[in-house]
Amino acid sequence: MAKEAQQYQVNHEKIEELLSLKPDLILASAYSNRALIQLMQKLGHQVETFPLPSDIEGIQANITRMAQLLGQEKRGQQLVEQMSQRIDQVIKQQPAVHPKALFYQPNHYTSGRNTLQDTALRVAGWRNLAAELGIEGYNPIDIEDLLMADPEQLFTSPYAPNSNSLAEQQLSHPALQRVTAGRKMIEIDYKYWICGGPMIADAIEQLHRSLPQ
Amino acid sequence: MKQPLALTQKQLISGLSLILAALFLLSLFVGSNPIPLFQAARDTLLDTPSVIALIFSEVRLPRALIALFTGATLGLCGAAMQGLLRNPLASPGLIGSASGAALGAVCMLYFGMSSITTMVLPAGGIIGALAATMLVYLLAGRNAGTLTLILAGVAINALALALISLLLNLAPSPYAVREIVLWMMGSIANHSMDDFQIMLPGVLLGWFLLIGTGRSLDALTLGEETANSMGFSLPRLRWRIFIAIALAVGSAISITGSIGFIGLVVPHLLRPLVDHQPSRLLLASAIGGAILLLAADICVRLFPAGTDIKVGVLTSLVGAPFFLYLIIKSRRFVL
């Protein structure tokens, strides 16, 4: 998807730049500039704001809505069905007992309730300890709390591979590998989380394959 | 002269050691989860250690050890520096050794060097500390007054801090910029036993070099010429102390970031208790520095979870007013 996107022009959220493109439809996200959106609407442009989904239903709703806006309902429906099929397949194969896991990112960040990672972990057949500890959204977790929760597997999503910093060094803390009985942290690409899309099925399948046999 | 507290060296050291031992134990007890410490310590001996044993041996023990060794290093080096330069304001923080060490460590950590071997980190710290210390010493001149030395220190500190900011802004890691505070204020949170092992060789080597400088420092209180005539070679002493400080401070700071004011405050607090004798001050300051940093680190942990206050903020909050007090006091002497 990133490769296909490269052939399109980048805009920098500047009003003059947008006007000169004479768009028929403007897509915005929850983090877009509110004032700019209002101004574009005032000038008679259609602006559609998409929420950042944190669950499968949200992703599917976004796809359906986008398909409608583009007049491609059929393709949208297809995409949603394919995605549901793959996810249902994983749900059917969930183990009887869900092992304990959590996401651990540089600077001790983890994904609690209402995050894509939480949804993906649970669909794939894991328990998300961060959510069970009462963490909401993306927030840091104390390393002692993490160890006390006794995870069986840790996942991380490298944001900038091949760079080093104190934040990233936290991931190689020896206690993290010892608590999971020597199991190495598993890397799940960051691209699945930056914004929810049909590729979430890839992440869910990868998480499912990581389940202990 | 009035003698407020007539303590023998033995009494003083054993008293300070007791406080240190108590704080070290307390530091192991304080954490985000209450854990049965003795059971945890016993469990570390098992083949498959329990979770509480992991928290004890991989989280709390390294933190307490790093606080102890870093605090002791800063206290000891502060005392040695004040003795050598016969300047009440000399300390690793003010003379630039600490920020030089942080700069050296930053160079190594963020630009891929530390993937070669973890020991390049303290090596960078040591080189940075030595370069900054020598630069300040050369800038201020051999017989610099208090003010000149501090001014040279301010200049080198500012330069080092600017370079740290610049390097962290240029570093490839997206997390680097946010870590400027960490290097400038210092933190001993979230370190592992590996980090402790990385800093240990340099710190011990530095301490070892400083043992036995006490008698020369005592002689130096009588003036350079007298010390010379008593057979103490000043240039050799100077090199020995500068290298020792670079080794110890450079290694410690490369792990913790620059923690301020301990090296300045501790020798001053303890000097009246050791009869103003540099030789006695060295060991006392080492223990005092460890006490101060352990206490500050325990306080930092008592703040509500998630606040993540750096330990250097606390030591500076205590140290900066004390620094002002020293300036006012020294002004009274001049006037």
Side-chain angles (χ1 to χ4, degrees):
Chain A
M1 203 148 122
K3 242 185 207 147
E4 291 159 39
Q6 264 172 9
Q7 56 183 310
Y8 296 103
Q9 198 182 335
V10 177
N11 77 73
H12 305 90
E13 256 193 301
K14 295 268 163 19
I15 180 101
E16 286 176 28
E17 195 184 3
L18 287 182
L19 285 175
S20 70
L21 289 169
K22 297 196 180 75
D24 300 315
L25 173 66
I26 298 172
L27 301 172
S29 81
Y31 287 115
S32 300
N33 185 344
R34 302 296 315 163
L36 184 68
I37 291 176
Q38 278 164 9
L39 190 57
M40 291 309 282
Q41 279 170 336
K42 228 179 182 174
L43 293 169
H45 288 279
Q46 185 187 0
V47 183
E48 296 289 336
T49 306
F50 280 72
L52 282 175
S54 60
D55 51 21
I56 312 286
E57 293 74 32
I59 292 176
Q60 291 174 337
N62 270 356
I63 295 174
T64 311
R65 184 168 157 218
M66 181 75 86
Q68 268 167 8
L69 286 170
L70 300 174
Q72 305 260 10
E73 279 93 346
K74 216 162 174 197
R75 276 179 71 192
Q77 208 184 341
Q78 245 173 16
L79 203 56
V80 168
E81 271 165 20
Q82 269 173 14
M83 192 179 138
S84 302
Q85 254 173 26
R86 287 173 67 187
I87 291 171
D88 287 343
Q89 193 68 28
V90 170
I91 291 176
K92 257 186 242 154
Q93 294 170 10
Q94 275 182 359
V97 180
H98 292 197
K100 297 178 281 185
L102 55 81
F103 270 87
Y104 196 57
Q105 317 287 11
N107 270 334
H108 325 285
Y109 270 75
T110 189
S111 310
R113 277 195 292 261
N114 298 323
T115 59
L116 268 182
Q117 284 96 326
D118 178 52
T119 306
L121 271 178
R122 285 187 293 110
V123 168
W126 295 93
R127 278 166 64 187
N128 182 12
L129 291 173
E132 288 172 26
L133 286 171
I135 292 169
E136 273 290 327
Y138 301 95
N139 268 303
I141 182 171
D142 183 87
I143 189 156
E144 283 192 17
D145 291 337
L146 185 153
L147 295 176
M148 281 301 257
D150 201 9
E152 287 157 77
Q153 182 65 60
L154 294 171
F155 294 99
T156 188
S157 302
Y159 181 68
N162 304 324
S163 71
N164 200 7
S165 61
L166 294 172
E168 287 157 292
Q169 265 189 352
Q170 296 299 328
L171 298 181
S172 48
H173 196 296
L176 296 178
Q177 227 187 81
R178 289 185 64 188
V179 78
T180 54
R183 255 178 249 123
K184 285 215 171 71
M185 222 179 254
I186 294 177
E187 294 187 357
I188 310 283
D189 276 354
Y190 192 77
K191 64 180 179 197
Y192 300 124
W193 319 122
I194 186 99
C195 51
M199 60 280 192
I200 192 77
D202 294 340
I204 290 173
E205 283 171 355
Q206 200 187 339
L207 286 169
H208 184 72
R209 282 196 300 275
S210 315
L211 282 165
Q213 295 308 316
Chain B
M1 210 175 113
K2 207 175 79 180
Q3 196 56 260
L5 272 166
L7 286 175
T8 65
Q9 177 78 347
K10 222 179 190 171
Q11 284 169 328
L12 178 69
I13 296 301
S14 40
L16 287 173
S17 302
L18 265 177
I19 300 174
L20 179 63
L23 279 173
F24 188 79
L25 265 179
L26 185 62
S27 160
L28 293 175
F29 271 105
V30 181
S32 49
N33 290 288
I35 61 167
L37 206 65
F38 297 106
Q39 196 198 331
R42 255 207 329 266
D43 283 1
T44 52
L45 303 173
L46 301 176
D47 286 337
T48 46
S50 59
V51 168
I52 50 169
L54 273 184
I55 291 181
F56 171 78
S57 66
E58 301 283 352
V59 178
R60 295 202 188 163
L61 193 61
R63 183 167 187 165
L65 283 172
I66 288 175
L68 181 109
F69 278 75
T70 306
T73 294
L74 291 172
L76 175 67
C77 291
M81 222 175 218
Q82 286 172 13
L84 175 73
L85 302 172
R86 282 168 298 151
N87 186 329
L89 296 184
S91 76
L94 292 175
I95 298 304
S97 323
S99 44
L103 175 62
V106 163
C107 285
M108 296 298 171
L109 180 71
Y110 292 86
F111 296 91
M113 303 293 194
S114 57
S115 56
I116 308 166
T117 149
T118 46
M119 288 322 259
V120 299
L121 196 63
I126 291 165
I127 294 168
L130 189 62
T133 316
M134 294 307 295
L135 214 57
V136 168
Y137 181 72
L138 290 175
L139 270 174
R142 255 187 69 180
N143 296 311
T146 308
L147 196 64
T148 326
L149 194 74
I150 296 307
L151 278 179
V154 165
I156 294 301
N157 263 326
L159 180 68
L161 294 183
L163 285 173
I164 290 174
S165 304
L166 181 68
L167 285 176
L168 288 179
N169 273 295
L170 295 176
S173 170
Y175 303 98
V177 176
R178 285 183 52 192
E179 284 166 13
I180 294 177
V181 181
L182 233 152
W183 287 106
M184 290 188 178
M185 295 313 306
S187 162
I188 39 185
N190 306 316
H191 287 300
S192 65
M193 220 49 178
D194 293 355
D195 294 327
F196 177 63
Q197 280 161 8
I198 289 171
M199 71 181 252
L200 198 58
V203 165
L204 289 182
L205 209 61
W207 289 8
F208 180 73
L209 276 177
L210 284 176
I211 297 174
T213 56
R215 277 185 53 223
S216 326
L217 290 177
D218 277 349
L220 201 56
T221 55
L222 304 170
E224 278 183 28
E225 276 171 33
T226 319
N228 238 333
S229 67
M230 286 165 76
F232 293 106
S233 153
L234 196 58
R236 259 185 58 193
L237 178 69
R238 196 179 294 132
W239 271 108
R240 180 168 167 176
I241 289 181
F242 279 168
I243 288 173
I245 287 174
L247 282 168
V249 172
S251 302
I253 297 293
S254 71
I255 295 297
T256 63
S258 156
I259 297 173
F261 291 104
I262 289 183
L264 176 77
V265 172
V266 170
H268 275 283
L269 290 177
L270 294 173
R271 193 166 285 121
L273 301 182
V274 296
D275 243 351
H276 297 263
Q277 258 180 303
S279 56
R280 287 178 59 192
L281 186 62
L282 289 179
L283 181 57
S285 289
I287 304 175
I291 289 175
L292 188 61
L293 191 54
L294 269 170
D297 186 46
I298 291 169
C299 289
V300 163
R301 277 187 267 177
L302 295 179
F303 282 99
T307 36
D308 192 28
I309 293 171
K310 308 275 173 273
V311 71
V313 175
L314 218 62
T315 59
S316 299
L317 274 178
V318 178
F322 190 81
F323 184 44
L324 289 177
Y325 160 77
L326 282 180
I327 291 175
I328 291 166
K329 210 174 92 179
S330 68
R331 228 179 56 189
R332 207 177 295 145
F333 274 116
V334 175
L335 291 175

